[in-house]
Amino acid sequence: MIKITLNEGISDTRPSVATIGFFDGVHRGHRYLINSVVKEAEARGLQSTVVTFDRHPRQVLGSDFQPQLLSTNEEKQILLSKTGVERCVMLPFSKQMAQLSARDFMENILKERLGVQVLIIGYDNRFGHNRNEGFDDYVRYGREMGIEVIKAQPLLLHGVNVSSSVIRSFLQEGEIEMAETCLGYPYFFTGKVVKGFRVGHELGFPTANIEQDNMLKMIPSPGVYAVKVRIEGSVEMKHAMMNIGTRPTFNGTKQTLEVHILNFSDDIYDKRLSVAFIHKLRNERTFSSREALAEQLRKDAQMVETQFEKDIEE
């Protein structure tokens, strides 16, 4: 896969079939769309292209907007590289680009600088200044400048159109399995292990406190989860339980991300971890005593083991 940005110049303008979008999470709906691009390009003997952006457009249009990302730029590029598309163009989204009308974007960037001959649009995608133009407008502009515009069909799973916003809703509700179904892979984030309060160690459940690599990446709703953890420098996915919350039993106020890796006692401070969410066990709650919390943690650990045993059997 080729990564190109406009400020580096574009040297590959071979005629192509393209699609455009932010592609946050590169979920199954995105891959369904991109697969249509790849097949159409093969049928026409053209290059397949994905056009995306280096940041969420609303970050540029509204300085106080904080997106809840499903993937970082690096993760997005890796996920796109697995789709079979020949070229990925990641445009630096700026205030100047935000001012382009859909027609100007199609003519100046897609046609003149990227050689797009066929544009396949996601069923709900809009682009251009203020996003006030729609599919019929794109078709008309394309006809004027020699770009054929095609509307893609949505991917329907369990009665819902798969989209990034739907996946965020599932994560907000702790519906981890449904989020994974729509993504096509377990939702994950990465971060570095930092010093914590050591309360888990005192309770017999030492935890790795994680500081996210990218604070804009979404964290699922507070609660306790069965997760799989990969430690930096290893390929093994270890079974673990994770607590997301404010530690209400100890009057905490700041959200923390704490992972207890089962049957593991190595020192991993300053190591980076990748955490994949498998199942939500319960909501966070306040316990009457340390002993009551420790007892619940023992039950949680057993539930995690049972969850992974069930996954193996299935």
Side-chain angles (χ1 to χ4, degrees), residues 234-251:
S234 170
V235 297
E236 181 185 2
M237 296 297 288
K238 297 181 179 295
H239 296 174
M241 62 182 186
M242 179 172 197
N243 184 76
I244 299 171
T246 58
R247 305 166 55 254
T249 302
F250 303 99
N251 300 314

Side-chain angles (χ1 to χ4, degrees), residues 61-297:
L61 299 172
S63 58
D64 59 344
F65 176 71
Q66 296 291 309
Q68 291 191 302
L69 299 177
L70 299 177
S71 58
T72 65
N73 269 344
E74 180 182 4
E75 291 164 358
K76 182 162 68 173
Q77 290 176 62
I78 292 171
L79 290 165
L80 285 171
S81 74
K82 298 177 181 179
T83 63
V85 71
E86 294 179 77
R87 176 175 67 163
C88 174
V89 180
M90 184 170 285
L91 305 178
F93 197 87
S94 63
K95 289 184 178 179
Q96 291 76 18
M97 181 170 289
Q99 294 303 311
L100 291 176
S101 67
R103 194 189 193 291
D104 288 341
F105 185 87
M106 289 175 67
E107 184 166 26
N108 299 338
I109 295 178
L110 297 185
K111 182 174 176 61
E112 298 298 331
R113 303 190 68 176
L114 297 176
V116 174
Q117 289 190 357
V118 181
L119 179 63
I120 301 181
I121 297 287
Y123 75 97
D124 62 347
N125 189 22
R126 286 175 175 260
F127 61 91
H129 182 59
N130 289 334
R131 302 177 68 195
N132 56 6
E133 295 155 297
F135 179 74
D136 291 340
D137 298 305
Y138 308 149
V139 171
R140 187 173 71 256
Y141 302 150
R143 191 178 298 119
E144 294 170 359
M145 65 186 70
I147 296 178
E148 182 182 351
V149 181
I150 301 170
K151 180 184 284 188
Q153 296 302 310
L155 177 64
L156 192 67
L157 290 176
H158 301 286
V160 298
N161 291 334
V162 176
S163 68
S164 298
S165 58
V166 164
I167 294 168
R168 291 189 196 98
S169 295
F170 284 136
L171 292 174
Q172 288 170 348
E173 295 164 5
E175 297 286 346
I176 298 303
E177 286 89 346
M178 281 301 297
E180 179 177 346
T181 295
C182 292
L183 283 166
Y185 57 86
Y187 185 68
F188 68 94
F189 79 97
T190 58
K192 186 173 76 170
V193 179
V194 298
K195 295 288 185 180
F197 297 96
R198 294 186 62 81
V199 173
H201 189 274
E202 295 171 5
L203 296 174
F205 290 88
T207 60
N209 290 264
I210 305 175
E211 184 178 87
Q212 286 175 263
D213 286 346
N214 188 326
M215 297 303 291
L216 295 180
K217 181 148 183 178
M218 184 176 181
I219 295 298
S221 63
V224 179
Y225 294 84
V227 299
K228 290 184 179 180
V229 174
R230 184 180 66 80
I231 302 171
E232 178 182 12
S234 170
V235 297
E236 181 185 2
M237 296 297 288
K238 297 181 179 295
H239 296 174
M241 62 182 186
M242 179 172 197
N243 184 76
I244 299 171
T246 58
R247 305 166 55 254
T249 302
F250 303 99
N251 300 314
T253 57
K254 182 181 178 182
Q255 179 170 279
T256 59
L257 310 173
E258 301 177 81
V259 171
H260 171 70
I261 304 175
L262 304 184
N263 306 311
F264 182 81
S265 59
D266 293 0
D267 183 356
I268 54 174
Y269 281 120
D270 292 326
K271 293 271 192 180
R272 291 179 69 252
L273 301 184
S274 178
V275 181
F277 292 84
I278 306 302
H279 176 71
K280 185 172 183 178
L281 302 177
R282 60 177 175 84
N283 292 327
E284 184 182 44
R285 57 190 177 93
T286 304
F287 292 88
S288 59
S289 65
R290 287 173 175 253
E291 292 73 24
L293 173 56
E295 176 61 26
Q296 182 60 57
L297 291 175

